[in-house]
Amino acid sequence: MGIPIIRKISVSVNCKQLPPLDPKVGPTICQILEEYTANHPDELLTYVCDDLDGKGHQRRIKFLRWYEHHSNGSLLALPQEIKSEDQTIYTCLIFDPKVYNEQHIQTAYEEEISLLETVKE
């Protein structure tokens, strides 16, 4: 069994005021995801919405809206919430269903989420 490769890409922006709306952001993000998975079809991607300012849920809604309107349909996105007593983490798993069985991946992902939710600090 090989060692899984985990890549982390983190993007953050610290602004004193809201940046102007850019209609190219959604299509650009979808294109990046689609090109990445086309070049790495056996990799699954996950993202976590930053919730330090309490806006994680809104970020997830925004991403899913972008995905719904701008993706080419080649990937599946499985949104999930990881809940603890004082926090909800909004996440989504993205993968190519031609490479992986959707039901198998969804079941495994939900099991991992359940394990994370039961961990006590």
Side-chain angles (χ1 to χ4, degrees):
M1 181 170 160
I3 298 172
I5 297 171
I6 299 174
R7 302 178 207 275
K8 179 182 177 187
I9 300 170
S10 180
V11 178
S12 70
V13 177
N14 294 321
C15 298
K16 294 191 186 264
Q17 62 186 29
L18 290 175
L21 293 178
D22 183 348
K24 296 179 184 176
V25 171
T28 300
I29 293 199
C30 289
Q31 183 178 359
I32 290 168
L33 292 173
E34 290 160 357
E35 285 181 14
Y36 183 85
T37 54
N39 292 321
H40 305 88
D42 58 337
E43 293 187 15
L44 290 81
L45 306 172
T46 188
Y47 78 85
V48 176
C49 295
D50 177 13
D51 197 41
L52 293 175
D53 60 359
K55 296 181 181 179
H57 185 252
Q58 288 87 350
R59 287 183 180 95
R60 181 173 78 168
I61 290 170
K62 174 75 86 179
F63 174 82
L64 292 175
R65 189 175 307 128
W66 287 338
Y67 182 79
E68 180 180 318
H69 289 108
H70 302 294
S71 74
N72 66 13
S74 66
L75 304 175
L76 283 179
L78 303 176
Q80 286 288 336
E81 297 176 6
I82 303 170
K83 296 182 179 185
S84 66
E85 289 180 21
D86 60 345
Q87 183 181 20
T88 299
I89 300 170
Y90 301 96
T91 183
C92 187
L93 185 69
I94 302 167
F95 65 97
D96 185 341
K98 294 185 299 283
V99 176
Y100 293 102
N101 176 280
E102 177 183 358
Q103 188 59 48
H104 176 75
I105 294 296
Q106 183 155 3
T107 299
Y109 191 45
E110 289 171 356
E111 288 172 359
E112 289 297 319
I113 298 293
S114 293
L115 285 172
L116 289 170
E117 290 177 332
T118 60
V119 173
K120 304 286 184 204
E121 291 190 33

